[in-house]
Amino acid sequence: MIIAQQKRKENIAEYLLYMWQVEDLIRACKFDTEEIKRQIVDRYDQPAEVKRQILGWYEELAEMMRREGVVEKGHIQLNKNVVSELTELHLRLLKDPKETAYGALYFRALPHIVQLRAKSDGADASEIETCFTAVYGYLLLRLQHKEVSPETQEAVRQINALLGFLAAKYG
């Protein structure tokens, strides 16, 4: 809750990646409130009242996930809305003749986006969602200390540059 609020204000791309991680943490805790409290909330160095609010926030997200049918995979509507907003901004920036820097970043990232979309089962995902999925997957690989090919590292670097610019324009 605290981190999400901070990231939402500072960097919408980091916020979205964080929220996807929160969804996965809730899944890892099997939607069990006591497990969420033990594994996540108790680790915060906060007063008891703030911890209670944080736990409530996790419980609300878990309930949204259940209601929206994203218990095993997928993202809640709240997060889908952020992707939609960023996709709309992305399309506006591409159409804006003054946004040549964004266009250049996009065309550098485009071959990687096309390649990722061809490999994924998310063919109906927007280019921006594909970018976020790639970065999130990369972050998971790094957390698991798995080897990442130089080609993947380069693709993520190009995509990160695009998302960073997009996030700055969003702010």
Side-chain angles (χ1 to χ4, degrees), residues 31-39 42 55 59:
F31 292 79
D32 181 292
T33 299
E34 285 304 311
E35 190 68 13
I36 291 169
K37 182 180 180 304
R38 198 170 28 261
Q39 293 293 327
D42 286 347
L55 182 59
E59 289 173 324

Side-chain angles (χ1 to χ4, degrees), residues 106 109-120 127 130:
Y106 171 70
L110 185 58
H112 305 293
I113 296 168
V114 170
Q115 189 175 37
L116 288 164
R117 291 180 84 178
K119 288 181 183 179
S120 76
E127 290 179 329
T130 299

Side-chain angles (χ1 to χ4, degrees), residues 36-46 51:
I36 291 169
K37 182 180 180 304
R38 198 170 28 261
Q39 293 293 327
I40 303 167
V41 178
D42 286 347
R43 295 180 183 201
Y44 281 90
D45 184 23
Q46 295 291 329
K51 284 185 178 184

Side-chain angles (χ1 to χ4, degrees), residues 81-94:
N81 291 346
V82 173
V83 173
S84 292
E85 289 173 19
L86 290 170
T87 297
E88 288 173 21
L89 176 58
H90 162 73
L91 295 172
R92 281 196 313 270
L93 290 172
L94 288 177

Side-chain angles (χ1 to χ4, degrees), residues 4-169:
Q5 290 170 341
Q6 179 183 347
K7 288 193 177 293
R8 175 99 189 183
K9 288 179 197 166
E10 295 173 3
N11 185 314
I12 195 68
E14 288 180 10
Y15 165 79
L16 185 63
L17 293 168
Y18 177 77
M19 291 301 293
W20 283 10
Q21 181 183 31
V22 167
E23 290 171 332
D24 281 345
L25 287 171
I26 291 169
R27 290 181 184 111
C29 291
K30 297 179 175 46
F31 292 79
D32 181 292
T33 299
E34 285 304 311
E35 190 68 13
I36 291 169
K37 182 180 180 304
R38 198 170 28 261
Q39 293 293 327
I40 303 167
V41 178
D42 286 347
R43 295 180 183 201
Y44 281 90
D45 184 23
Q46 295 291 329
E49 175 57 26
V50 175
K51 284 185 178 184
R52 189 186 62 70
Q53 291 172 0
I54 294 169
L55 182 59
W57 182 75
Y58 274 94
E59 289 173 324
E60 286 177 26
L61 288 173
E63 182 54 33
M64 278 187 229
M65 291 172 71
R66 282 189 204 97
R67 246 190 347 261
E68 295 178 22
V70 293
V71 172
E72 292 184 27
K73 65 178 184 171
H75 305 293
I76 57 175
Q77 191 61 49
L78 183 76
N79 295 333
K80 289 178 182 178
N81 291 346
V82 173
V83 173
S84 292
E85 289 173 19
L86 290 170
T87 297
E88 288 173 21
L89 176 58
H90 162 73
L91 295 172
R92 281 196 313 270
L93 290 172
L94 288 177
K95 290 178 184 174
D96 187 339
K98 293 181 232 153
E99 291 296 343
T100 56
Y102 186 76
L105 289 170
Y106 171 70
F107 285 109
R108 275 189 229 117
L110 185 58
H112 305 293
I113 296 168
V114 170
Q115 189 175 37
L116 288 164
R117 291 180 84 178
K119 288 181 183 179
S120 76
D121 59 354
D124 58 342
S126 70
E127 290 179 329
I128 295 303
E129 185 174 357
T130 299
C131 289
F132 276 103
T133 300
V135 172
Y136 189 69
Y138 173 78
L139 293 173
L140 290 177
L141 289 173
R142 300 288 296 174
L143 283 171
Q144 297 167 4
H145 304 290
K146 292 191 176 174
E147 192 171 326
V148 179
S149 72
E151 295 82 14
T152 299
Q153 289 177 26
E154 178 59 21
V156 169
R157 191 178 72 70
Q158 296 292 339
I159 289 169
N160 269 335
L162 179 71
L163 292 178
F165 193 101
L166 186 63
K169 287 291 184 175

